[in-house]
Amino acid sequence: MLHVQIDMFSGRPNPEWIITDEDLSEGLLASVVEAKGAAARPGTGFSGLGFREIRITRLSDDPPRRRGGPRDFALASVAAEDFRASGELALRVLESMPLDSDIQLLSHALTPLTRELRDLIFERVEGFLSDPPKVSKFKTSPYNPLRSTIRDATCRRCEYEVSQFNPGFWNTPAAQPRNNCYNYARNWRTDTFAQPGRAHGAMTGTMACANVSTAAMADGLVKRCNCLPISEWPRRLMALVIDPGWDYHWYRHQRGGFWGHKPGGTAARNMDNSGVVIANPETCNRGGYTDFCGYFYAGRSVVIN
Amino acid sequence: MLIELDIFSGRPNPRWPLSPPAARKLAELHHALPPSAHEPPDLPGLGYRGFVYELDGNIWRAWSGYVIGSHQALTDYGKVVETLLLSHLPVGHAGLRSRIRAEV
């Protein structure tokens, strides 16, 4: 089964439906594997008003007949390497839109799947494919007074962004208990107590450096010194540590040269277990989190949940 | 009554229901604790941060010889509440027992 969402609206819910036809699902997944460059990472293409992309997610853990396809991907995205092939597949997906879906989704109350909506989607997608918007590829980092781009002291050819320490954003009754160290370090409030790899079906229960690193890299993190392009702005530098066998923990490099973190459901802070501002996550007091695993960059395309 | 062992950073903390007899015992111990004359120390960031439970409409945290609520702290120098809750740690989390015992 596949979940299809047409990312096109701003206020009302996007049109979405479930493809239950096994042959249709498998055929589409096989085409994505064959048409190299047709699938893009969701959320990395056009981000303005109007049609943006078609997002597709596999809903079951059954392996597809053709291996190698991504679990989540976007079609008709300007981020696709082969935009033409991506568009052709997108039109095939649109043909699957039911006008009277057997599976009622919450969004259907506000965005029912009508013939008018179907016509609108086709019109918008075809217009998008024939005249795709120019996505601004930053040549320099956008200006933000609370965020600076710095050169990595360890890998001088790489750059990343550091933002002002802002614990007040996290330390509220609504946000604090629902967001953990991974949310904080990635700087994404999901309210789901995000777990490395969960957004991409790659979560691990083994609390060791290699396993948690692999899970996080499935979300899109890359090891330090694999420089991220400016299109991934804002890029974060994160550090991973492990309480062997029990738990993991993440830190984020902040503006001012220190590191911030958020231990579980507790308050975000910039101090270690000795009450000292964290200048170096490798040497700060980390309690039982004795294994230092390394550093990672996280760009804008890193999706966590 | 639901008990949470506040110890992890990334993974969700262990949570489990306390049996009715153990919950009655906890309430009895809790109600016998005197108010604290001292401000409890700050919680550590990483590692064991106590047991959290709800009683009489308030959330309480038993940690380091104190039972800390939103408006009041109680003294538990004998750490009877933490000791009781540690003894009811579910089998699935038994591996954490020795680690917490070192701090209780």
Side-chain angles (χ1 to χ4, degrees):
Chain A
M1 284 203 295
L2 297 175
H3 175 257
V4 177
Q5 184 187 77
I6 313 299
D7 187 21
M8 64 186 286
F9 287 146
S10 171
R12 66 191 289 197
N14 282 321
E16 58 181 347
W17 64 89
I18 309 287
I19 300 178
T20 53
D21 184 310
E22 199 65 18
D23 289 335
L24 186 59
S25 300
E26 289 293 342
L28 179 64
L29 293 172
S31 300
V32 166
V33 174
E34 277 165 22
K36 289 186 172 50
R41 187 183 277 272
T44 57
F46 177 59
S47 60
L49 290 173
F51 175 78
R52 293 174 284 270
E53 63 188 16
I54 298 178
R55 293 180 180 167
I56 297 172
T57 309
R58 279 167 33 202
L59 295 180
S60 75
D61 61 7
D62 299 323
R65 287 177 210 149
R66 284 288 302 270
R67 290 185 174 276
R71 175 167 289 277
D72 309 302
F73 56 95
L75 295 175
S77 164
V78 291
E81 286 174 29
D82 188 341
F83 181 68
R84 190 192 183 100
S86 192
E88 285 170 6
L89 280 177
L91 292 173
R92 267 179 59 191
V93 171
L94 291 186
E95 297 289 349
S96 74
M97 176 179 163
L99 292 181
D100 214 0
S101 178
D102 289 340
I103 302 177
Q104 287 296 311
L105 303 176
L106 281 176
S107 63
H108 291 171
L110 290 170
T111 309
L113 303 181
T114 61
R115 188 171 300 281
E116 290 74 21
L117 179 65
R118 182 189 164 108
D119 291 345
L120 176 77
I121 294 170
F122 266 100
E123 181 191 317
R124 295 281 168 87
V125 172
E126 284 167 351
F128 185 90
L129 294 176
S130 62
D131 185 19
K134 305 286 179 288
V135 176
S136 61
K137 303 281 186 192
F138 307 131
K139 289 189 172 64
T140 57
S141 309
Y143 173 71
N144 183 322
L146 302 179
R147 192 186 282 153
S148 328
T149 299
I150 61 171
R151 192 158 289 285
D152 192 326
T154 299
C155 328
R156 298 296 298 171
R157 63 203 164 80
C158 297
E159 289 183 327
Y160 61 91
E161 280 66 44
V162 284
S163 49
Q164 186 153 310
F165 181 53
N166 183 17
F169 174 83
W170 302 93
N171 300 344
T172 65
Q176 186 175 311
R178 299 186 183 93
N179 295 279
N180 63 2
C181 56
Y182 196 44
N183 290 106
Y184 183 86
R186 165 63 184 87
N187 197 15
W188 188 342
R189 176 186 159 177
T190 63
D191 287 347
T192 60
F193 223 73
Q195 298 298 310
R198 185 162 66 191
H200 298 88
M203 208 167 93
T204 181
T206 305
M207 295 296 116
C209 280
N211 302 69
V212 180
S213 298
T214 301
M217 290 169 78
D219 287 338
L221 275 77
V222 298
K223 289 195 171 165
R224 191 181 198 176
C225 297
N226 292 326
C227 305
L228 290 177
I230 195 71
S231 57
E232 281 286 341
W233 183 97
R235 303 154 293 185
R236 314 289 178 183
L237 178 64
M238 298 164 58
L240 172 64
V241 299
I242 293 282
D243 180 348
W246 289 109
D247 195 19
Y248 61 85
H249 183 63
W250 292 90
Y251 298 87
R252 188 213 316 168
H253 201 204
Q254 305 275 175
R255 189 177 189 181
F258 57 85
W259 293 73
H261 66 143
K262 183 177 183 302
T266 72
R269 66 197 70 196
N270 62 352
M271 290 187 288
D272 68 6
N273 269 26
S274 299
V276 175
V277 173
I278 302 167
N280 184 346
E282 295 180 47
T283 55
C284 69
N285 183 344
R286 307 194 303 262
Y289 295 74
T290 52
D291 288 2
F292 186 84
C293 305
Y295 298 94
F296 298 81
Y297 297 134
R300 67 187 299 176
S301 63
V302 169
V303 175
I304 65 171
N305 185 27
Chain B
M1 180 186 284
L2 210 57
I3 305 296
E4 176 174 335
L5 170 60
D6 190 10
I7 189 166
F8 290 146
S9 172
R11 302 167 69 186
N13 284 324
R15 287 194 183 117
W16 68 95
L18 204 58
S19 67
R24 280 195 294 277
K25 181 68 180 170
L26 172 63
E28 182 187 313
L29 292 174
H30 177 101
H31 289 136
L33 296 175
S36 172
H38 309 285
E39 191 75 13
D42 289 337
L43 288 174
L46 296 174
Y48 172 66
R49 297 179 292 267
F51 293 91
V52 179
Y53 56 90
E54 187 175 349
L55 188 65
D56 303 332
N58 291 310
I59 304 289
W60 299 92
R61 178 187 298 272
W63 175 73
S64 191
Y66 293 88
V67 174
I68 307 158
S70 52
H71 302 297
Q72 188 187 18
L74 309 174
T75 298
D76 182 13
Y77 287 138
K79 300 186 178 177
V80 292
V81 170
E82 286 171 273
T83 304
L84 173 77
L85 295 176
L86 180 59
S87 71
H88 285 87
L89 199 63
V91 176
H93 302 297
L96 290 167
R97 197 183 303 270
S98 58
R99 164 179 294 214
I100 299 163
R101 189 174 287 134
E103 304 201 38
V104 170

